[in-house]
Amino acid sequence: MIDLLCLILVLPLAIVTMVFVVEAGLGMMPARRPEGATLDTLAEGVVLIPAHDEARGIGAMLAGLFATLPPAMRVLVVADNCTDTTAAVARAAGAEVVERHDTSRRGKGFALDFGRAHLAADSPPCVIVVDADTVPAPGALARLATRAIASGRPVQAAYTMTVDDSVSSTARFSAAAFYVKNAVRQLGASRIGAPALLTGSGMAFPWAVFLRLPLDTGHVAEDLMLGVSSSLDGTPPLFDPHAIVTSATSSDRGTEVQRRRWESGFFQVAGDHAGTVIGQGLRRGRPALAWLGLHLLTPPFLPLLALDILAILLLSLLALFGIGRGALATVAIPTALALVATLGSLLLHGRGDLLKGWQTIPRYILWKLGVTAAALFRRERSWIRTDRD
């Protein structure tokens, strides 16, 4: 009976660890680009950029964007509650600009809602949301628009971070975790037909889908919430690993704020919607939707690993007395597989550079667990702009 009780107690932890293992394991091998694939340079749509006090960097960002912009696309910048010259810089770079001033309703979702209202008079076939500090790779916008229009579903690009030798170990390992979450696990989930998560930048929406999204909520993780909402509405997002959008790493302070905000939103969405998503998936006979619910119940990698190791240590003590050996194996095996899948995916995807300075990983782990604890017990309730270097 004690053995059975131990197994029952650790089974939920083992299940969510296996969710991570399946996604990271199936995503270990990079996606192959389809042979003979061509870019649809006639892809139509609007690139919608919400921007708050981005005057220092938006000019260079737009220059890079226009260099790869399909001829039939246009760019709309929403200068949201700006106290600098963001609007003027964006106009000088060639973008269409609308300005929003409402300090009582702050956040990216409100800016997107304002942009949608502006576009409604001449609605485009597709809207691609790109953050003001990110750069789409050549061909990414055409791929996103073409797939979104053809499928009638949102499409998420592989949104990752670039690093160089000047960044701190905290920012480097954070970029590694970001890559596993946004590129590796997304790819693995797509290979079993599960909905993609929307990750904030490089999100393409057919106009009919964009029109009904609940944008003006002020949610701190509006991208994740929009993906869940779209999945429940019957238009689960797709993932395109060949459409790549990159962002430079932020300052250490910016990285901390960004991670705390994202994890606060993640835990909020999980608490509010994971059960509903799983229930709807089972009732509708949509296992892919139920998988999304299980994903929402899976903590980020390091907190998950910490829980696994704690369980292994406690069960190892019990195993000395001949108790809970089955439960120990039930947790230990998925934990080992999760480690292998994480490290293996970074190496196989050619991102071994993100593991430089591995000797400082213990310090990073303590920092990350502190961020997670803050997200759990002192959750962000309002939008905060991420600091840039």
Side-chain angles (χ1 to χ4, degrees), residues 366-387:
L366 292 175
W367 171 85
K368 182 62 169 63
L369 293 179
V371 170
T372 300
L376 275 170
F377 301 111
R378 293 187 291 108
R379 292 187 184 177
E380 295 290 349
R381 301 295 181 184
S382 58
W383 179 85
I384 302 174
R385 180 184 180 274
T386 300
D387 291 340

Side-chain angles (χ1 to χ4, degrees), residues 6-70:
C6 289
L7 185 59
I8 292 172
L9 289 175
V10 301
L11 193 57
L13 181 59
I15 290 173
V16 295
T17 304
M18 280 306 302
V19 170
F20 182 96
V21 169
V22 170
E23 292 178 347
L26 290 177
M28 283 179 66
M29 294 303 299
R32 293 183 179 180
R33 185 174 295 276
E35 294 184 7
T38 57
L39 299 177
D40 186 357
T41 57
L42 300 179
E44 295 183 75
V46 171
V47 179
L48 179 57
I49 304 173
H52 171 69
D53 288 349
E54 298 285 357
R56 289 174 57 192
I58 198 169
M61 178 270 180
L62 287 171
L65 180 68
F66 280 117
T68 62
L69 189 73

Side-chain angles (χ1 to χ4, degrees), residues 33-328:
R33 185 174 295 276
E35 294 184 7
T38 57
L39 299 177
D40 186 357
T41 57
L42 300 179
E44 295 183 75
V46 171
V47 179
L48 179 57
I49 304 173
H52 171 69
D53 288 349
E54 298 285 357
R56 289 174 57 192
I58 198 169
M61 178 270 180
L62 287 171
L65 180 68
F66 280 117
T68 62
L69 189 73
M73 283 191 185
R74 71 186 213 262
V75 177
L76 174 64
V77 173
V78 178
D80 187 53
N81 287 308
C82 291
T83 59
D84 63 4
T85 58
T86 295
V89 173
R91 287 193 185 98
E96 179 183 354
V97 179
V98 291
E99 297 184 58
R100 174 180 175 270
H101 300 283
D102 185 351
T103 56
S104 65
R105 290 156 57 87
R106 297 171 56 85
K108 181 177 175 180
F110 295 121
L112 294 178
D113 183 62
F114 191 80
R116 179 173 62 183
H118 177 79
L119 293 171
D122 184 19
S123 58
C126 176
V127 175
I128 305 175
V129 177
V130 176
D131 282 348
D133 64 333
T134 57
V135 179
L141 298 174
R143 288 191 63 90
L144 291 171
T146 301
R147 288 198 68 188
I149 294 170
S151 66
R153 294 161 60 179
V155 181
Q156 173 62 55
Y159 173 29
T160 61
M161 289 187 174
T162 58
V163 299
D164 56 37
D165 290 339
S166 67
V167 303
S168 68
S169 59
T170 296
R172 183 180 300 278
F173 298 139
S174 188
F178 199 75
Y179 187 87
V180 172
K181 177 178 76 74
N182 285 0
V184 177
R185 293 181 64 190
Q186 291 265 57
L187 178 59
S190 71
R191 285 172 170 164
I192 59 173
L197 299 182
L198 297 181
T199 55
S201 191
M203 307 182 295
F205 302 93
W207 177 255
V209 174
F210 193 63
L211 191 60
R212 63 175 185 263
L213 288 176
L215 297 176
D216 58 343
T217 62
H219 202 287
V220 294
E222 81 293 323
D223 44 7
L224 180 62
M225 187 64 249
L226 294 178
V228 171
S229 176
S230 188
S231 295
L232 288 171
D233 283 348
T235 52
L238 299 168
F239 175 64
D240 191 329
H242 302 300
I244 299 171
V245 176
T246 58
S247 172
T249 52
S250 60
S251 63
D252 281 1
R253 171 60 181 165
T255 298
E256 181 179 347
V257 170
Q258 185 183 56
R259 294 302 179 271
R260 189 172 71 244
R261 184 180 69 221
W262 181 84
E263 291 192 16
S264 292
F266 180 86
F267 291 133
Q268 182 179 337
V269 172
D272 292 345
H273 300 285
T276 300
V277 173
I278 292 174
Q280 291 285 349
L282 295 177
R283 280 192 293 273
R284 300 179 190 178
R286 293 172 57 191
L289 184 60
W291 185 272
L292 174 62
L294 289 174
H295 179 102
L296 293 176
L297 292 176
T298 304
F301 175 61
L302 278 179
L304 176 63
L305 183 62
L307 290 173
D308 283 333
I309 292 175
L310 179 61
I312 289 170
L313 291 175
L314 293 175
L315 290 169
S316 295
L317 291 175
L318 292 177
L320 294 176
F321 301 95
I323 301 171
R325 290 175 178 171
L328 176 59

